[in-house]
Structures are given as structure tokens and as C-alpha cells.
């Protein structure tokens, strides 16, 4: 049993890395999928969109099921579904079947809240904050890992099916690891609120779909405006419904308690920042300087390895550091630091992007801010919810991050496709990249102000001299600093 408990942290890190890697693996190869299957660009983009929409439906349900029936069996079920979906995607040349495979892979999004629940059950309080920070950092590291692996496998015109075989192997490893976790009973009582799950799923689909398809549909079109209006109505009905049921999917307190609302707003910004910097930097460095007057003409592989990898790989160092910040200063100061760092990185990119080192450093600073923010969010959430609500609280926060990612993607794509430089291959103007980075910096400043104003101040904890010295020894040894309660 002791060995199984010790496996909790490495297994949680691995499955969360798998979540974000599966999300980004296919992003660079949508054009290859379109050419191979002979479909339109909008049809091929559903390989990404269908995965995101299905994740919005699955994540809260899986988080609640983990609370009810235990995290280990639900994680095993999720990974089994992801494994089948990966095999299907690897073996098919049919777009409908590929979409089925991607929908099955979307169940992986539920692994993050389940992994946080496992840590809360298995680890002592003095290790929990650092462990959650490390696991949260895997979200950023995994996203970069997915982009880099795709660049390596496709550098000589490889077959995109290899990516799905890779995801099959990675999922099988995760399945073996989760099998070794301890068996624990569910922390919650009651049943799954199916009606609430349907309402929440429909509302989120209506919200995310126009964000993903707005460029094709037109941002002022009836479909976009109608979907957004319907999302507001359905989500309002969901909130009213949850207030009336005995065992709600999301407790009313979770929808109105200020720290949780702020945590979800911060998650929205962090998701936006992560994808905005990924997409904008990738497009910027691939732009040929001789044609546009800016950029570096980098290949997809160089964009991933040279410009994006330092920021994502740095999460190995910055994620534990974020845990130490949370343990020593609390979630609120860490979130403010995260927003300030992200804003500084965006501001640097807006002003300095003519040299390789400037872009690398700017992206690294933004990613460090995102990683610090991800480190703080689980600690903030579990401090304000009961153990029986750990899964669903982190699920709702995961959805907020996913919506932020959709907003970041939609915003960058919109900016990159309007008023292009005329030519055989339309290219965005430099001013459009500057606008993206300036908006990122402004949103970061707003996020820092909201967190600083809206989150209650944590009560100071008096430390003895011996405790301060012990913290310094642990930090020097690279160990987590205990959380004082």
C-alpha cells in the first residue's frame, strides 16, 4: 500500500501531461488531415473542435463520478475509452470515424480533476501544495511536448496516423500506472445529476462552438449571435435548476462563492494566455522576413523546438517553484505574480520581437506566468471546497481554462486573417501581432487587479524561527515546503 501511495504523484503528473499532449498533438497537422482525407478546411478543423466540445460535456460528469465512486475506477474507465479512441483514429481514413476517435479522446480532459482528487486523498498536507503545483505544471509542459513531438514526427512529411499510434502507446502506459494506484471509496454521497449534466453540456457546447467557428461563420452572423444568446439562456436555466435539486452537479455555493468565482475567472485568463502565446509566436516566427518585413521564416519544427520549447520545458523548474510560492505566500499573491509575469511577457513581445532571443524570452516569461497560475488554482480551490467536491470544482475550473483557450485561439486566428498583406500567400501584418500581445498585456493587468481586489486576504500564519529555518532547508534540498493551516 505504501508503494501504491508513493505512485500517486508520478502517476498524476503523467496522466495530466497526457491530457494536454493529446490536445495539441493534432493542431499542427489539420492541413495534412484535410489533404489526406480530401475534405474542406472547415471540415478538417472539426478534428480539434469536436474534441473540445466533447471535453466540455465529459469533464464535469467525470469529475463528479470520481467524487461519487472513487477516482481510480473512473480514471481506468477514462483511459480505456481514450485508448480505444486512439486506436480508431490511428487505423481509420474516414473523417466521421476520426471524429468519433477524437470525441473518445476528449474523455482525457477528466483526468486532471481526478488526478487532483487522488493527490488530496493520498498525500499528507505538508506535501499537497507542492504536488498539486507540479501536476498543474504538466498542463503547460504537455502542451509543448505535443507540439514538439508533432514537429519531429512530421518533419519529413510523415504520416499523421503515427501521432495516434503514439497516443495509443502513451495511454497504455497511463493505464498501467493508474492500475497501481490504491483503491479508495468515493468521498461524496448521492447520485449523478444527469439533468444538470445535460444542461451544462448543452450550454457549454453553445458557448464554445461559435468561439471555434466564428471566423468561418462570421462574428456578426445569426449562427454566432444565436448560439451565444442560447448559451446564456441555457446556462442561466442550469444555475436555477442546480439551486433546486438535492444533489446538484455543481453546488450553488460553488457558483457564487467569491474565491471560486475568481479562481474560474483566473483560469479563463490563463487558458487565453497560453494558447494566445503559442499560436501568435508560432505564426510570427514562421513569417518570411523577406516578404513581410518581420519574422524569421522558421519551419514548424524550428518554431516548436527553438521558440516554444524553452517556455514549456521550463515548467519542470517553474512548476515546483510555483508550489513553493503558494506554500510560503498563499494562492492570492502567487496568482497576482502569475498575472504580472504574463503581462510583462506580452508587453515585451509587443515591443521586442525582431531578434530570436527576444521572442524566446518573451514566450518564456508568459509561460512561466501561466505555470505559476496553474500552480495556485488547485490550492485555492481545495481550500474552499469539501473533499467530496474536489473533482467537480476542478472540473469547472478546467472548463474555464478550455473556454479561455477557445477565446485565445479565436482571437489570434481572427487577428491573423484580417487585412492581410497582399500576395500569393496572404500574411498578417506586424501590427496585428502587436495588437495580440498588447491585448494579452491588458488582460493580464485586469486579471492581476481582479485577483488582488476580489480574493480575501489570507490570514497570516506566525512561524517560529525553527520553522523558517526548516523551510529554508527543505527548499534548498528541492523538497516541498509544508503548508501551515
Amino acid at each position: 500500500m505504501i508503494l501504491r501511495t508513493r505512485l500517486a504523484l508520478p502517476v498524476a503528473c503523467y496522466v495530466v501531461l497526457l491530457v494536454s499532449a493529446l490536445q495539441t498533438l493534432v493542431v499542427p497537422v489539420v492541413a495534412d488531415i484535410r489533404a489526406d482525407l480530401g475534405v474542406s478546411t472547415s471540415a478538417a478543423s472539426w478534428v480539434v473542435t469536436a474534441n473540445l466540445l466533447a471535453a466540455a460535456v465529459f469533464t464535469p460528469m467525470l469529475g463528479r463520478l470520481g467524487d461519487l465512486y472513487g477516482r481510480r475506477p473512473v480514471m481506468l474507465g477514462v483511459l480505456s475509452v481514450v485508448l480505444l479512441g486512439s486506436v480508431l483514429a490511428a487505423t481509420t481514413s474516414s473523417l466521421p470515424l476520426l471524429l468519433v476517435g477524437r470525441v473518445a479522446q476528449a474523455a482525457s480532459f477528466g483526468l486532471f480533476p481526478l488526478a487532483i482528487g487522488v493527490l488530496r486523498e493520498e498525500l499528507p498536507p505538508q506535501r499537497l501544495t507542492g504536488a498539486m503545483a507540479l501536476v498543474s505544471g504538466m498542463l503547460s509542459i504537455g502542451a509543448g511536448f505535443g507540439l514538439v513531438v508533432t514537429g519531429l514526427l512530421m518533419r519529413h512529411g510523415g504520416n499523421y496516423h503515427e501521432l495516434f499510434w503514439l497516443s495509443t502507446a502513451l495511454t497504455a502506459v497511463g493505464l498501467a500506472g493508474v492500475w497501481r494506484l490504491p483503491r479508495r471509496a468515493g468521498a461524496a454521497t448521492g447520485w449523478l445529476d444527469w439533468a444538470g449534466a445535460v444542461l451544462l453540456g448543452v450550454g457549454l457546447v453553445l458557448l464554445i462552438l461559435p468561439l471555434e467557428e466564428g471566423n468561418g461563420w462570421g462574428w456578426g452572423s445569426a449562427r454566432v449571435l444565436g448560439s451565444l444568446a442560447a448559451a446564456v439562456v441555457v446556462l442561466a436555466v442550469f444555475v436555477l435548476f442546480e439551486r433546486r435539486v438535492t444533489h446538484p452537479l455543481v453546488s450553488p455555493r460553488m457558483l457564487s462563492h467569491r474565491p471560486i468565482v475568481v479562481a474560474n475567472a483566473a483560469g479563463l485568463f490563463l487558458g487565453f494566455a497560453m494558447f494566445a502565446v503559442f499560436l501568435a509566436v508560432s505564426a510570427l516566427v514562421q513569417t518570411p522576413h523577406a516578404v513581410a518585413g518581420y519574422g524569421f521564416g522558421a519551419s514548424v519544427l524550428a518554431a516548436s523546438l527553438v521558440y516554444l520549447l524553452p517556455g514549456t520545458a521550463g515548467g519542470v523548474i517553474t512548476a515546483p517553484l510555483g508550489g513553493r510560492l503558494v506554500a510560503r505566500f498563499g494562492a492570492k499573491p502567487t496568482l497576482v505574480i502569475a498575472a504580472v509575469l504574463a503581462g510583462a511577457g506580452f508587453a515585451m513581445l509587443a515591443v521586442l520581437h525582431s531578434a530570436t532571443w527576444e521572442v524566446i524570452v518573451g514566450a518564456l516569461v508568459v509561460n512561466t506566468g501561466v505555470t505559476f497560475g496553474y500552480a495556485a488554482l488547485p490550492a485555492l480551490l481545495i481550500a474552499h471546497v469539501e473533499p467530496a467536491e474536489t473533482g467537480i470544482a476542478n472540473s469547472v475550473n478546467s472548463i474555464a481554462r478550455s473556454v479561455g483557450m477557445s477565446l485565445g485561439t479565436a482571437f489570434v486566428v481572427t487577428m491573423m486573417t484580417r487585412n492581410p498583406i497582399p500576395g500569393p500567400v496572404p500574411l498578417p501584418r506586424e501590427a496585428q501581432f502587436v495588437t495580440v500581445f498588447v491585448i494579452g498585456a491588458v488582460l493580464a493587468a485586469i486579471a492581476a487587479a481582479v485577483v488582488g481586489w476580489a480574493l480575501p486576504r489570507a490570514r497570516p500564519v506566525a512561524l517560529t524561527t525553527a520553522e523558517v529555518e526548516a523551510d529554508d532547508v527543505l527548499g534548498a534540498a528541492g523538497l516541498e515546503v509544508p503548508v501551515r493551516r
Side-chain angles (χ1 to χ4, degrees):
M1 182 60 74
I2 294 177
L3 175 60
R4 288 172 181 257
T5 298
R6 288 177 177 173
L7 287 174
L9 180 56
V11 169
C13 286
Y14 182 85
V15 297
V16 171
L17 185 144
L18 178 65
V19 171
S20 50
L22 289 177
Q23 186 179 6
T24 57
L25 271 175
V26 302
V27 172
V29 296
V30 172
D32 298 85
I33 293 173
R34 178 196 62 76
D36 182 68
L37 301 183
V39 298
S40 66
T41 300
S42 61
S45 69
W46 274 89
V47 174
V48 176
T49 304
N51 179 262
L52 200 60
L53 295 179
V57 177
F58 290 155
T59 303
M61 294 174 61
L62 293 169
R64 178 60 177 165
L65 287 172
D67 291 337
L68 287 170
Y69 303 112
R71 276 87 189 193
R72 178 180 178 273
V74 177
M75 292 174 77
L76 289 173
V78 166
L79 286 165
S80 297
V81 171
V82 174
L83 183 68
L84 293 174
S86 299
V87 171
L88 177 60
T91 55
T92 187
S93 294
S94 162
L95 180 61
L97 290 179
L98 179 58
L99 294 181
V100 171
R102 288 291 288 161
V103 167
Q105 286 186 324
S108 65
F109 280 69
L111 292 171
F112 176 75
L114 292 168
I116 295 296
V118 167
L119 295 181
R120 188 172 192 177
E121 289 176 336
E122 301 300 331
L123 298 185
Q126 66 268 24
R127 293 190 59 205
L128 186 57
T129 300
M132 289 191 304
L134 185 60
V135 169
S136 298
M138 293 299 110
L139 290 169
S140 177
I141 296 170
F145 172 78
L147 292 172
V148 170
V149 168
T150 299
L152 289 172
L153 289 179
M154 302 296 291
R155 67 187 184 280
H156 298 308
N159 188 332
Y160 69 87
H161 288 94
E162 296 175 7
L163 298 175
F164 294 115
W165 283 121
L166 175 64
S167 68
T168 301
L170 294 175
T171 304
V173 173
L175 197 58
V178 171
W179 184 265
R180 298 286 296 168
L181 291 177
R183 293 176 174 86
R184 304 290 184 194
T189 58
W191 54 83
L192 180 63
D193 173 19
W194 287 102
V198 170
L199 284 171
L200 180 59
V202 171
L204 290 171
V205 168
L206 289 170
L207 175 63
I208 294 175
L209 182 59
L211 298 179
E212 289 290 306
E213 298 295 318
N215 287 292
W217 292 354
W219 289 105
S221 67
R223 281 193 287 182
V224 168
L225 298 179
S227 294
L228 293 175
V232 172
V233 172
V234 173
L235 291 174
V237 171
F238 166 74
V239 172
L240 295 174
F241 179 81
E242 293 297 278
R243 294 181 182 274
R244 296 178 178 273
V245 298
T246 306
H247 297 287
L249 179 69
V250 181
S251 69
R253 177 177 173 274
M254 208 177 294
L255 299 171
S256 58
H257 190 42
R258 182 185 290 184
I260 300 176
V261 173
V262 172
N264 292 333
L268 187 78
F269 163 72
L270 292 171
F272 176 95
M274 185 171 76
F275 265 56
V277 77
F278 275 160
L279 295 175
V281 166
S282 180
L284 172 70
V285 302
Q286 290 182 66
T287 302
H289 189 279
V291 177
Y294 70 92
F296 305 96
S299 65
V300 173
L301 180 61
S304 299
L305 289 179
V306 176
Y307 296 92
L308 295 177
L309 181 60
T312 54
V316 175
I317 298 172
T318 56
L321 178 58
R324 292 202 67 204
L325 289 174
V326 175
R328 187 175 286 269
F329 301 111
K332 176 180 177 177
T334 305
L335 273 176
V336 172
I337 291 171
V340 169
L341 279 175
F346 277 123
M348 178 179 177
L349 287 169
V351 178
L352 303 172
H353 49 259
S354 59
T356 294
W357 73 267
E358 296 170 347
V359 177
I360 293 173
V361 171
L364 174 63
V365 174
V366 174
N367 277 302
T368 299
V370 171
T371 304
F372 282 179
Y374 280 174
L377 288 178
L380 178 60
L381 289 170
I382 71 165
H384 293 91
V385 301
E386 298 298 324
E389 296 178 329
T390 300
I392 188 61
N394 281 281
S395 295
V396 173
N397 194 253
S398 294
I399 292 169
R401 291 197 304 271
S402 294
V403 173
M405 293 173 190
S406 298
L407 287 170
T409 301
F411 176 64
V412 173
V413 171
T414 299
M415 292 302 301
M416 296 302 100
T417 54
R418 62 193 298 266
N419 191 28
I421 298 173
V425 179
L427 296 171
R429 300 178 187 273
E430 184 176 8
Q432 290 161 252
F433 287 101
V434 173
T435 300
V436 169
F437 298 137
V438 168
I439 293 296
V442 170
L443 291 177
I446 294 172
V450 168
V451 170
W453 170 78
L455 274 184
R457 180 176 297 179
R459 288 177 296 178
V461 179
L463 302 182
T464 67
T465 303
E467 287 173 328
V468 173
E469 291 175 352
D471 281 358
D472 292 338
V473 171
L474 288 171
L479 300 176
E480 293 88 352
V481 179
V483 181
R484 268 83 186 186
R485 297 187 183 276

